[in-house]
Amino acid sequence: MKMKNKILNLSIITAFVLLYSCGDNDNSIDGILDDTTSGAVLRTIELISNEIALGDDNASFSVILEAQDKMNGKLMEKVEVYASFKDNTDDDTDYSVEETFLYNLLPTNFTEGPIGLPRTTVTITLNQLKQFLNVQDGEFNGGDVFEVRFKYITTDGRSFSWENSSANILGGAFYRSPFRYNVNVTCPFESSLAGTHSYVTTNMSRPGASPCGGTVNGTVTWFDTDENGAQLPEGTYRISDFSFGLFESSCWFDDPAFSNGARIKWFCKNLLTLGTDQYSETWTYTIVSVNGAQMTINFASTYNETGTTVITRQGNIPWPAIFQN
């Protein structure tokens, strides 16, 4: 039997969710395409990737989109692609970039999909986002966000994007047409930092004694398991001494700065400290430089114990590339 005219009805999406059960390869889309005089959508077929690993210029945002309007996609004049950048890093400089036009997708960039509607795969690399938005390395970090937005322009002069679409269109079970996507900057874990690393600590001081302790040579162990032998989350390590020998030196003649729960966390280009030492003091590490297997750190406690240490990675293996100067 001949299929009736396929016209999209955005107003009966709820009924569609209840009744529609065919897959992409089923051409029986009568129930979805009933009346689209009110708009056009870009359905998310697959969000392939919305995470970009810091340091990988070839990492990309990628999505498969399907165009739908009352003429089964033939009303499309073009789809405009925009991007912006949100700097979420907590420092003194905000490198955020307002939304910028990138390029147009034309009907010729789409091909007919399994249900007769135009589909395309959009891929935008980190390198392209940096060039389009003029964002430089060092101006973005893990936790920052790029945003990619699409605007559907029809041949009769109308435009559709997230700001003039209903909740059913933006996040409904079928359409999933948000028109905009967050692209999260993440930090790759290239290898485990666990091991017993050697250090040379200098420039030590404590309240009432500055300087103190001279030069201390020793080792510090970063464990990838907790006190009970359970695996810690990737990038988190139990540490045997927050102070890199300062406590054991003539500054205090004490036990290492440690307690259950003493941790360091690898976050992008930084080492964050978690937990406290045996005196409930917390510590801060600032990476000064990294050259091959040697990492120079300035450290300080909330009790104002400070020092500089050069940590050589176990086996003289270079620290991960993300740290290297």
Side-chain angles (χ1 to χ4, degrees):
M1 181 175 67
K2 186 177 180 181
M3 182 180 291
K4 68 180 181 180
N5 290 336
K6 298 180 286 184
I7 306 175
L8 182 64
N9 185 350
L10 302 184
S11 66
I12 62 167
I13 182 65
T14 303
F16 159 72
V17 172
L18 295 173
L19 297 175
Y20 179 77
S21 61
C22 60
D24 278 349
N25 292 323
D26 187 342
N27 288 326
S28 301
I29 56 172
D30 303 357
I32 346 172
L33 305 173
D34 234 0
D35 185 326
T36 13
T37 57
S38 60
V41 300
L42 285 172
R43 179 187 173 207
T44 304
I45 299 300
E46 181 183 357
L47 182 56
I48 299 171
S49 173
N50 69 332
E51 291 189 349
I52 288 178
L54 192 69
D56 182 2
D57 278 356
N58 294 318
S60 63
F61 161 75
S62 188
V63 64
I64 301 175
L65 299 174
E66 181 177 77
Q68 298 188 10
D69 55 49
K70 70 176 182 179
M71 296 294 291
N72 297 339
K74 292 183 175 60
L75 264 184
M76 182 203 309
E77 177 182 316
K78 60 184 177 180
V79 174
E80 296 175 346
V81 185
Y82 297 84
S84 58
F85 171 63
K86 176 62 175 176
D87 181 0
N88 292 322
T89 304
D90 186 16
D91 56 24
D92 295 333
T93 305
D94 185 357
Y95 294 105
S96 297
V97 179
E98 295 295 326
E99 186 175 79
T100 301
F101 172 76
L102 304 191
Y103 55 81
N104 289 321
L105 293 170
L106 302 176
T108 53
N109 299 122
F110 290 74
T111 57
E112 185 175 314
I115 60 174
L117 297 174
R119 287 189 181 184
T120 190
T121 300
V122 178
T123 299
I124 307 174
T125 66
L126 173 60
N127 190 51
Q128 290 173 314
L129 288 169
K130 286 164 55 179
Q131 291 178 2
F132 283 130
L133 299 173
N134 195 27
V135 177
Q136 310 298 320
D137 289 333
E139 295 179 352
F140 58 95
N141 210 331
D144 292 341
V145 177
F146 292 92
E147 182 182 275
V148 175
R149 184 174 73 89
F150 299 93
K151 181 187 287 187
Y152 195 126
I153 310 295
T154 61
T155 55
D156 56 10
R158 295 176 298 151
S159 64
F160 300 92
S161 194
W162 68 271
E163 70 275 8
N164 61 347
S165 297
S166 69
N168 281 334
I169 295 301
L170 297 176
F174 176 73
Y175 288 108
R176 302 187 305 278
S177 181
F179 287 102
R180 61 178 179 177
Y181 302 84
N182 284 337
V183 186
N184 302 306
V185 181
T186 63
C187 301
F189 297 114
E190 301 169 38
S191 62
S192 174
L193 303 185
T196 298
H197 314 302
S198 59
Y199 62 75
V200 178
T201 301
T202 57
N203 300 324
M204 292 181 288
S205 68
R206 65 171 177 82
S210 179
C212 65
T215 297
V216 177
N217 295 268
T219 60
V220 62
T221 301
W222 297 353
F223 303 89
D224 57 10
T225 57
D226 66 17
E227 292 78 9
N228 299 314
Q231 193 71 35
L232 290 169
E234 188 176 22
T236 300
Y237 304 92
R238 176 166 51 99
I239 186 171
S240 62
D241 183 8
F242 275 135
S243 76
F244 300 107
L246 183 148
F247 270 24
E248 295 177 281
S249 74
S250 58
C251 287
W252 287 120
F253 297 108
D254 198 354
D255 294 329
F258 168 81
S259 71
N260 287 340
R263 305 279 190 272
I264 57 170
K265 182 178 181 179
W266 175 12
F267 181 71
C268 292
K269 298 181 179 181
N270 303 302
L271 291 176
L272 309 179
T273 61
L274 308 173
T276 67
D277 62 25
Q278 63 268 45
Y279 300 106
S280 299
E281 302 295 336
T282 60
W283 294 74
T284 302
Y285 294 164
T286 302
I287 297 176
V288 177
S289 64
V290 180
N291 184 10
Q294 293 190 326
M295 176 184 292
T296 302
I297 293 176
N298 288 336
F299 60 84
S301 74
T302 47
Y303 191 66
N304 201 29
E305 296 139 325
T306 65
T308 299
T309 191
V310 178
I311 311 170
T312 301
R313 194 177 184 186
Q314 181 177 349
N316 208 36
I317 300 170
W319 296 102
I322 196 169
F323 290 118
Q324 299 292 328
N325 295 114

